[in-house]
Amino acid sequence: MTTTGRGINLKNIVKWVLPCIFMTLVIAFILLKSPALDPVVSISTSQFPATQSQLFYKRMDDYKERNSKISKLDMENHTFSFALPRYDENLRWDPLEKSGSFYVKAVTISVLAYTRSIELDNLTPMAQIEASARETNIVKFTAPSGATDPQINIHLNYKLLDKVRYVFALLLGLASAFAILAWIKWHSRILDFLQGDRGYTAQLKSIFRQENFSLNEFTKLLGIGVFLNIIPVVNFF
C-alpha cells in the first residue's frame, strides 16, 4: 500500500471516529443528566404500619425537604421504591410519622439492569427509632411511643454507583452514536435491504403463525437474550 493510500484510509477513519467519540460523549452527558440513569432504592418490608414513607437524598450538603421523595407502599410485595436524582454516601429514610414497629427484609439499589444489595448493617437508627432485633436477613425497627419523626440512615457505596452510571452512559452513548453514523453512511443500503427483504419478512411471519409463535413472544426472547449478554458486564462490578 502506498503512502497516499494509507493517508486516505487514515483520513477516512478519523472522519468517522472523531464524530463517533463526540456523539458518544454528548449522548452520555445527556443520559447522566436525565432521569434515565437515576439509581432506584427499593426497601422491602414486613408488617409495615403505614401506607407511605419519605426518603431524603443529598450531594455533599444538608438534607432538605425539596430533595426528598415520598413513595407509596406496594401492597403486593410490601416494598418502597425511590428514584435518586442526586446522592452521596448517606440517605435518610423517614419511615413513619408516628410510633410503631416493622421489619426490613432487604434493601437494593439498581441502575437499569444492574442491581446490588445493600447489607442491612448499613441501616442505622438516627432519631426516635431503634433496631430492636437484628438478624442476618431481617431487622426489626421500633419507634417508641410519642415518636413523630423516626429517621434511619442508609449508607451507600456512592463511588461504585457513579462508576456504574458512567459505564452505562458510555455504552448507551456509543451504541446510539454507532447507530446514527451507520444510518448516515449506509441508510440507502439499509432501505434497499428492508424493501427487498419484505418477502423474507412475510415468510418469517407466516412461520411464526404456523408455530403459534407471536411477535410479542419473539420480542420477549430477544429482550432476554440482550439482558443475558448485559449480565457479564454488570457483574464485573
Side-chain angles (χ1 to χ4, degrees), residues 63-77:
Y63 293 115
K64 299 179 179 65
E65 191 71 25
R66 67 174 179 268
N67 294 332
S68 69
K69 291 286 181 71
I70 294 176
S71 173
K72 299 284 188 181
L73 180 66
D74 185 331
M75 301 305 295
E76 184 176 347
N77 52 26

Side-chain angles (χ1 to χ4, degrees), residues 117-133:
S117 295
I118 298 175
E119 294 184 5
L120 296 181
D121 287 341
N122 289 319
L123 276 68
T124 54
M126 292 179 64
Q128 300 184 25
I129 197 167
E130 60 182 15
S132 55

Side-chain angles (χ1 to χ4, degrees), residues 44-49 78 101-105 138:
S44 178
T45 67
S46 177
Q47 302 179 26
F48 200 83
H78 304 283
S101 62
F102 59 92
Y103 294 89
V104 174
K105 298 189 294 183
I138 195 167

